[in-house]
Amino acid sequence: MERKFSLFTSIDCEIFKKKLLYFGMKYSNFCLLENNDYKFDQSVDSIAGLGSITSIIDEKTSSISDISTFQTNNQDWIFGHIAYDLKNKTEQLYSENIDRIGFSDFFLFVPEIVIIISKDTVSIGVHSKEEAQKILEEIDKVDIKFYKSEKSTLQPRFDHQEYLKTVASLQDHIARGDCYEVCFCVEYYSENCTIHPIEIFLQLNKLSPNPFAAFYKVEEKFLLCASPERFLKKKGMEVISQPIKGTLKRTGESSLSDKKEKQQLLNDEKERAENIMIVDLVRNDLSKICKQGSVKVRDFLEIHSFPQVHQMISTISGQVDKDCTFGEILQATFPMGSMTGAPKVKAMQLIEQYEKTRRGLFSGSIGYITPQGDFDFNVVIRSLLYNEEEKYLSCQVGSAITSKSNAEKEFEECSAKIEAIITSLS
């Protein structure tokens, strides 16, 4: 049956979104994506998928072509995630490190309910107008409750000295010519931890409102995401990628300090080199599936300010053929270069060798596909991952290691990136 959207106006959307979070918890699958009013290449303000009509989950025999088949067979809205270890299906790689969260390597679902929120309007996509009205009324009746989570302390898998030694080892690989850049990440975790995911997400989104925020639930597993980074967006025949590489802690003291810090980041030779290397990698990835000569660097080394940090972002675009599937695009571009390094395969081998935990959904992607085949997917960073059944809480954070990296400064950069998450837990 065809999905129909009903538009409701004069809605207090901030209150509506809070109520929607509680309403969505009764579904096994629930995804809310929040833009937080950022305007660069914006797709929607907020969009949510609730429940599941049909879905596809990674199994040992699955392949990326199964994702394309699922999309072809379901010309509807599709939500879900692609985890970092899908790399083992795009390349001859493996993952043997521990994973205490347990998200599958991919999971996509056609939701029972699609809700698009913009300013003071709410559009509900179901199969009858009467059903949409009933859902609106049910959400309106939700009692917003505030739960107090236990105070949680995150401990790192690497102590300070281990971190410094690992960076030195990675720089030895770079000096030998094995690679140019490696995105090295460290897990911070808490065991026997009880949190209320909604309360923590609201606190995190208040402290660190970012353009690719997400609240995501699959059974007992949660992603609470405050990501500033887009992986890929497709609109019509155009595909764009917006990798972030280059970071400076934001003091937030004044507009004058912002201006000075942004100029400092733009002039930093090491940070520029990080971004340039990843731009070249993304151009190469997109050229595999885009029309010859169509891949362009649209915005180069632009500085954007977020609540805790300034970031260097470039935008690369290209034109694909109309019959190019989501799965084919993933095969060419995933995982995103900003979370691997260059060359990509060697960097991923070193990541497996030197990191202590599997990344899982961290540095993967979450997003949606429209019935027309357009899509928008983020990069899962600045995020908490929580397995409610295991009472295990995880946050991973990283930075790009190059020959010019100062290990102490990389350690400080990671601390700046995780600051809002630690605050949200306390």
Side-chain angles (χ1 to χ4, degrees), residues 8 13-14 61 88 97 176 184 210 217 264 279 282 284 308-309 314 319 352 385 387 394 400:
F8 302 93
C13 285
E14 290 309 306
T61 57
N88 300 335
N97 291 326
R176 291 199 297 266
F184 172 55
N210 280 311
K217 174 180 185 282
Q264 179 185 341
V279 166
V282 172
N284 182 63
Q308 283 77 38
V309 291
S314 295
Q319 299 287 322
E352 176 68 22
L385 293 135
N387 187 313
S394 174

Side-chain angles (χ1 to χ4, degrees), residues 47-316:
I47 187 168
L50 301 87
S52 176
I53 296 172
T54 184
S55 64
I56 182 172
I57 189 167
D58 176 58
E59 297 174 345
K60 286 185 177 180
T61 57
S62 298
S63 66
I64 291 182
S65 63
D66 294 326
I67 295 174
S68 296
T69 301
F70 182 76
Q71 180 193 5
T72 301
N73 293 342
N74 295 280
Q75 301 293 308
D76 198 345
W77 292 84
I78 298 171
F79 287 72
H81 76 262
I82 308 295
Y84 172 77
D85 285 308
L86 187 71
K87 67 180 175 59
N88 300 335
K89 288 186 167 69
T90 63
E91 302 289 348
Q92 295 297 312
L93 297 168
Y94 63 92
S95 298
E96 293 183 346
N97 291 326
I98 60 170
D99 175 11
R100 296 284 301 277
I101 298 296
F103 276 102
S104 60
D105 285 352
F106 66 79
F107 176 70
L108 299 170
F109 67 99
V110 176
E112 297 171 30
I113 306 165
V114 176
I115 299 178
I116 301 173
I117 305 164
S118 181
K119 296 179 181 177
D120 63 347
T121 66
V122 170
S123 184
I124 300 178
V126 280
H127 297 107
S128 73
K129 188 173 183 179
E130 293 75 18
E131 188 181 355
Q133 180 67 44
K134 183 181 177 183
I135 290 166
L136 183 72
E137 291 171 359
E138 287 182 13
I139 295 172
D140 188 54
K141 290 176 184 176
V142 168
D143 182 22
I144 298 177
K145 300 176 182 179
F146 291 95
Y147 299 86
K148 190 169 180 62
S149 297
E150 294 177 2
K151 185 175 180 180
S152 302
T153 302
L154 296 172
Q155 55 183 323
R157 290 279 174 193
F158 289 77
D159 64 28
H160 188 195
Q161 288 304 312
E162 277 186 299
Y163 180 89
L164 299 183
K165 288 179 181 177
T166 305
V167 170
S169 296
L170 290 169
Q171 288 180 312
D172 286 343
H173 284 283
I174 292 169
R176 291 199 297 266
D178 294 341
C179 59
Y180 309 106
E181 178 180 329
V182 181
C183 183
F184 172 55
C185 299
V186 174
E187 184 194 29
Y188 289 71
Y189 68 100
S190 180
E191 298 175 297
N192 299 315
C193 173
T194 301
I195 66 167
H196 194 277
I198 293 174
E199 183 251 344
I200 298 297
F201 173 73
L202 289 172
Q203 180 71 0
L204 178 60
N205 200 52
K206 180 181 178 181
L207 289 167
S208 190
N210 280 311
F212 299 99
F215 182 92
Y216 183 55
K217 174 180 185 282
V218 180
E219 303 291 349
E220 78 287 352
K221 295 179 280 289
F222 293 86
L223 166 70
L224 317 176
C225 179
S227 174
E229 185 172 1
R230 170 181 275 129
F231 166 42
L232 278 179
K233 173 185 175 182
K234 178 177 177 287
K235 186 174 182 181
M237 299 299 103
E238 183 183 51
V239 177
I240 70 164
S241 179
Q242 294 181 298
I244 291 179
K245 269 289 165 269
T247 302
L248 183 67
K249 183 177 173 61
R250 185 182 184 187
T251 63
E253 293 172 355
S254 65
S255 58
L256 180 61
S257 66
D258 269 353
K259 185 176 180 180
K260 289 181 178 178
E261 288 161 4
K262 289 167 77 172
Q263 193 62 45
Q264 179 185 341
L265 177 56
L266 184 62
N267 293 339
D268 190 303
E269 183 181 346
K270 181 257 182 186
E271 304 292 334
R272 290 172 65 92
E274 284 183 19
N275 198 291
I276 290 167
M277 278 188 269
I278 299 308
V279 166
D280 284 344
L281 188 154
V282 172
R283 287 173 61 195
N284 182 63
D285 283 353
L286 289 182
S287 69
K288 298 172 187 174
I289 41 95
C290 289
K291 295 178 181 177
Q292 188 173 0
S294 71
V295 177
K296 310 288 184 185
V297 180
R298 200 171 73 192
D299 301 305
F300 188 49
L301 306 182
E302 288 199 338
I303 309 299
H304 293 263
S305 297
F306 301 101
Q308 283 77 38
V309 291
H310 304 289
Q311 304 259 219
M312 191 179 289
I313 304 177
S314 295
T315 301
I316 305 98

Side-chain angles (χ1 to χ4, degrees), residues 305-366:
S305 297
F306 301 101
Q308 283 77 38
V309 291
H310 304 289
Q311 304 259 219
M312 191 179 289
I313 304 177
S314 295
T315 301
I316 305 98
S317 66
Q319 299 287 322
V320 296
D321 291 323
K322 63 179 180 179
D323 58 350
C324 187
T325 67
F326 179 60
E328 289 170 335
I329 294 171
L330 278 181
Q331 179 69 52
T333 60
F334 191 85
M336 60 292 298
S338 61
M339 295 307 298
T340 60
K344 187 185 281 189
V345 172
K346 184 59 181 179
M348 289 190 287
Q349 290 170 343
L350 292 172
I351 286 166
E352 176 68 22
Q353 180 180 343
Y354 285 98
E355 293 182 8
K356 294 184 179 181
T357 48
R358 285 181 68 171
R359 292 188 178 182
L361 186 48
F362 170 75
S363 73
S365 187
I366 181 173

